[in-house]
Amino acid sequence: MSFVLTKDLLDKVEKAVDTKNSQFVENELSLLRPADISTVLNEMDTEQAMFVMDLLTVETAAEIISYLDEDVCIPFIRNYPSETIAQWINYIDSDDAADILNELPLQTREEIIAFLDSKEKADYIIDLLHYEEDCAGGLMAKELISANINWTVIQAIDEIRRQAEKVEKIYSLYVVDNQERLLGRVSLKKIILSNDETRIADIYEQGIVAVKTYQDEDEVAEIMRKYDLAAVPVINERGKLMGRITIDDAVDVITEQAEEERQIITGISEDIEEDDNVLMLTRARLPWLIIGMAGGLMGARFIGLFEKDLAILPAMAFFIPLITATGGNVGIQSSSIVLQSLANKSMIGVNYFQRLFKVLIVAIINGVVISVIVFGFTIILGQTVNLAGIVAISLFFVVLLASFMGTITPLVLDKLGINPALAAGPFITTANDLLGLAVYFSTAHMLYSF
Amino acid sequence: MSFVLTKDLLDKVEKAVDTKNSQFVENELSLLRPADISTVLNEMDTEQAMFVMDLLTVETAAEIISYLDEDVCIPFIRNYPSETIAQWINYIDSDDAADILNELPLQTREEIIAFLDSKEKADYIIDLLHYEEDCAGGLMAKELISANINWTVIQAIDEIRRQAEKVEKIYSLYVVDNQERLLGRVSLKKIILSNDETRIADIYEQGIVAVKTYQDEDEVAEIMRKYDLAAVPVINERGKLMGRITIDDAVDVITEQAEEERQIITGISEDIEEDDNVLMLTRARLPWLIIGMAGGLMGARFIGLFEKDLAILPAMAFFIPLITATGGNVGIQSSSIVLQSLANKSMIGVNYFQRLFKVLIVAIINGVVISVIVFGFTIILGQTVNLAGIVAISLFFVVLLASFMGTITPLVLDKLGINPALAAGPFITTANDLLGLAVYFSTAHMLYSF
């Protein structure tokens, strides 16, 4: 039953759009879900997409808008007058609506709010615009159903009826006191299974998990994941119920986090996709390439200092890639393991000293294994025992130092409030290249001075 | 309201456990949620954890078991007789129960199933054990509420009452025909707002998203993410309703995917954590280090072929790290961008040729920028125009080739059914090191032959 957009279908629809064959487009789209239609629109140019939108009901169009990628959505809707945008916003949940309005110019934003059908929706959005996008307040929707602790079940059902159209997904009712402070929740299941006259006070669940408006979105996602929650209430500092975050928003946070981490680790400095234009792709890639290049030039300068040693023992040059590559690999592995601990917040009861001690042991084992193998192969490659010794000894220390740096760097970045994933990317590779060269050439220089 | 385990609390509880101070431990734990108690147990040794489990009710203990990490849970519960495990399994949802039983020896498994209180639960588990763990069938739980299309609302409510204890989270009822084939769903909201005598046939929602038992877990997670679903029904090839997957399981899939991808990219070959033992950590890291080392040795052998060129122009050695590092960085960036497209399945309407053409343009721009800068700096570093030319020209071709390889490799791996993330890890770095050396030394050799 799931839908995957094919090039074939897209071509058919695009051709129909270009020939203004409304009937055909309507027929094709009627078979699709709104989330699928937004995938189609994502691939179309503005004119085509506007033609398609005109064929849809306001409600469907609104849902499609809420599914569009933000970088497609904002430029697209700016083709429409504020009044049309307001008609869509009427149907969009307050959290998504606030996200969209946040990206529009102040004047457009105020016009749209003025055009909204319901004063309540306008107030919701104005309230949400106060919060930073990456905290619980920026993630929550105002649409939720709350029940006063003094109500009976039938009163709660009346409230559900009143709000039914406004709140699409209801998993439970949040129970509040007269000051709107969150006390707990009642599941819809319990409402169905209770008598009309049962008091909410007698059936509600206390001590539920809630998040504060100012909590970071990563923390919210982690809490929802940990406690397996489909929705979590958001309260302010005084315990007042302010909104509700549903799991789909947390899933988006988790997905974006993972994507961002991969981009950082692989040396991409902006959020890009393969179908972005050449300029954006280049701009996202050049910064790290240039840093890597700067590292490479420093390396060249550094090796230059040992020109005389190289003249005496030119075969030393053969092993430069081995030294730098090993340093890079070991450093990245070490950072990655620390990153994982930081993400899981699971390293309780392990202090820095114990941590580094363990890193040291693992590094010694890896270092010995690699050094011994390399020593053997270097001799097999026809080099002298002398050179094989230099390579093996430096490799051992490179593994040790790279492990140490790879472990320390993410911990330090994290303490400084910088994204520790930076430590598993080109930065650590570049640093380790230089470190490796330093170890290699100093070792050679010292051993040859004897 | 959220709980983060502190070293302080853990120490207090561990001390109380060691002195068998049951009263204190019970008091502390009574303040925690089951998910939090499992975090505590995760940090304890077996004897301590067993002492804690004895203090809890069977129901709480069962919930804790279902929250434990699998690699902690299985060795831990094997300390208990099958009868005790069965008592816990009585309270654990069939999907988690099957995951646990899957890891136990056949005999224990059958003993546990025989000890279960309910025949229905036993049948559920036996059914689930048939599915691979990483498909929809392996993810789903059998606990769900279905309503026959011919029922009225009051009959559906009776069914909810009958199943209430068994099915903890109910978002909607799945509507089926007399052959148990899935037709659609009714939300609990609708049940609450409808009259008792309303026919399910008149209020149910058709054409809902469902997944097939054999669909891959990544696909299931992507579908739930795309359509913002809190739960998705699972059907077999003939459309029969087989189970239900809730979003918390999809979230686990997404988190594990991201973690696995990071491990692959950073050259870690087993699923490890920082608090695993030294042997496991070493075993997970050595394979890629050894592959990197083999690459380095091949590189050494390769450079050795150009020993004469190096003797003529020893300064060539200075730029080896620059060449290899740039190749590595460019290759990883290119793979990363393709990986993202593969993950988003968003590259519709772009064929291989267009893709490579764009890659080529970006590579040319990056290559030119870097080559020009490097040319300048090489001369500033005091090298000859000749050498600067060799370095700049090879760098340009290295960027081109590495972009090409970085783009092609993940696409090919994906077509072969191999995890394309492999292409953004040490494999591509190693390959690009060799590629870079080949380009550099051949360029130098050719230019000098003139």
Side-chain angles (χ1 to χ4, degrees), chain B residues 202-215:
Chain B
D202 296 331
I203 55 169
Y204 84 104
E205 181 188 342
Q206 288 170 280
I208 63 168
V209 179
V211 297
K212 299 263 170 70
T213 44
Y214 56 79
Q215 274 189 279

Side-chain angles (χ1 to χ4, degrees), chain A residues 149-439:
Chain A
I149 180 121
N150 300 314
W151 288 357
T152 57
V153 164
I154 189 73
Q155 286 175 293
I157 292 178
D158 283 346
E159 177 70 11
I160 296 174
R161 184 160 292 126
R162 238 190 330 270
Q163 311 269 7
E165 215 175 289
K166 204 184 67 182
V167 190
E168 193 205 343
K169 288 179 189 166
I170 313 177
Y171 308 125
S172 46
L173 272 55
Y174 295 116
V175 179
V176 295
D177 64 14
N178 293 330
Q179 280 76 48
E180 295 283 310
R181 278 184 304 230
L182 180 69
L183 298 174
R185 63 173 209 112
V186 190
S187 66
L188 285 201
K189 177 172 90 173
K190 222 162 203 166
I191 295 281
I192 291 179
L193 300 181
S194 302
N195 293 323
D196 285 356
E197 297 312 320
T198 308
R199 290 174 60 232
I200 296 293
D202 295 332
I203 54 170
Y204 84 104
E205 182 189 340
Q206 287 170 281
I208 62 168
V209 178
V211 297
K212 299 262 170 74
T213 45
Y214 56 80
Q215 273 187 282
D216 190 81
E217 58 174 7
D218 297 354
E219 253 175 82
V220 174
E222 173 58 22
I223 287 169
M224 296 188 77
R225 193 197 63 74
K226 179 170 175 182
Y227 298 108
D228 293 346
L229 304 174
V232 69
V234 183
I235 54 177
N236 72 7
E237 203 46 69
R238 302 169 63 189
K240 191 176 160 200
L241 179 62
M242 303 300 288
R244 173 183 79 146
I245 297 172
T246 44
I247 183 72
D248 48 314
D249 294 314
V251 168
D252 289 343
V253 170
I254 294 172
T255 315
E256 280 161 28
Q257 262 180 350
E259 209 159 87
E260 188 193 337
E261 194 186 72
R262 192 200 32 233
Q263 292 188 335
I264 293 178
I265 291 181
T266 54
I268 289 170
S269 59
E270 286 177 52
D271 185 16
I272 48 163
E273 280 169 41
E274 198 175 351
D275 52 0
D276 284 336
N277 66 45
V278 167
L279 181 73
M280 290 168 73
L281 288 168
T282 309
R283 208 174 52 193
R285 296 179 59 168
L286 260 183
W288 275 119
L289 291 182
I290 289 181
I291 290 175
M293 186 203 66
L297 286 170
M298 281 164 67
R301 180 89 189 79
F302 181 82
I303 302 178
L305 300 176
F306 294 87
E307 197 166 2
K308 280 185 196 143
D309 299 75
L310 264 178
I312 302 170
L313 193 57
M316 265 192 74
F318 304 173
F319 297 91
I320 293 176
L322 173 64
I323 298 281
T324 55
T326 308
N329 288 345
V330 170
I332 300 275
Q333 283 184 335
S334 304
S335 309
S336 170
I337 291 171
V338 175
L339 276 189
Q340 185 152 318
S341 303
L342 289 173
N344 294 346
K345 297 171 183 68
S346 70
M347 285 298 287
I348 288 153
V350 177
N351 61 31
Y352 275 57
F353 180 75
Q354 286 172 314
R355 229 157 157 162
L356 286 177
F357 183 73
K358 195 160 170 189
V359 167
L360 189 72
I361 304 289
V362 175
I364 289 176
I365 300 176
N366 283 332
V368 166
V369 173
I370 289 180
S371 298
V372 168
I373 302 179
V374 165
F375 184 83
F377 272 97
T378 307
I379 289 178
I380 293 173
L381 283 179
Q383 305 300 334
T384 62
V385 176
N386 244 342
L387 181 58
I390 292 172
V391 174
I393 291 172
S394 353
L395 216 44
F396 177 78
F397 285 107
V398 166
V399 172
L400 240 59
L401 283 171
S403 297
F404 183 77
M405 257 193 55
T407 305
I408 286 293
T409 319
L411 292 174
V412 172
L413 291 181
D414 191 52
K415 275 256 180 286
L416 296 176
I418 300 168
N419 190 333
L422 271 176
F427 171 70
I428 209 93
T429 325
T430 307
N432 277 331
D433 278 3
L434 294 174
L435 196 74
L437 293 174
V439 171

Side-chain angles (χ1 to χ4, degrees), chain A residues 33 36 164 169 189 207 226-228 261-262 266-267 272 274 276 285 333-334 336 340-341 355 358, chain B residues 33 36 164 167 169 207 227-228 261-262 266-267 272 274 276 285 333-334 336 340-341 355 358:
Chain A
R33 298 188 177 84
D36 299 321
K169 288 179 189 166
K189 177 172 90 173
K226 179 170 175 182
Y227 298 108
D228 293 346
E261 194 186 72
R262 192 200 32 233
T266 54
I272 48 163
E274 198 175 351
D276 284 336
R285 296 179 59 168
Q333 283 184 335
S334 304
S336 170
Q340 185 152 318
S341 303
R355 229 157 157 162
K358 195 160 170 189
Chain B
R33 300 193 174 80
D36 299 321
V167 189
K169 289 178 187 166
Y227 298 107
D228 293 346
E261 194 187 71
R262 191 197 33 234
T266 55
I272 49 164
E274 197 174 351
D276 283 336
R285 297 179 57 168
Q333 284 183 335
S334 305
S336 170
Q340 186 153 319
S341 303
R355 232 158 154 159
K358 197 161 167 189

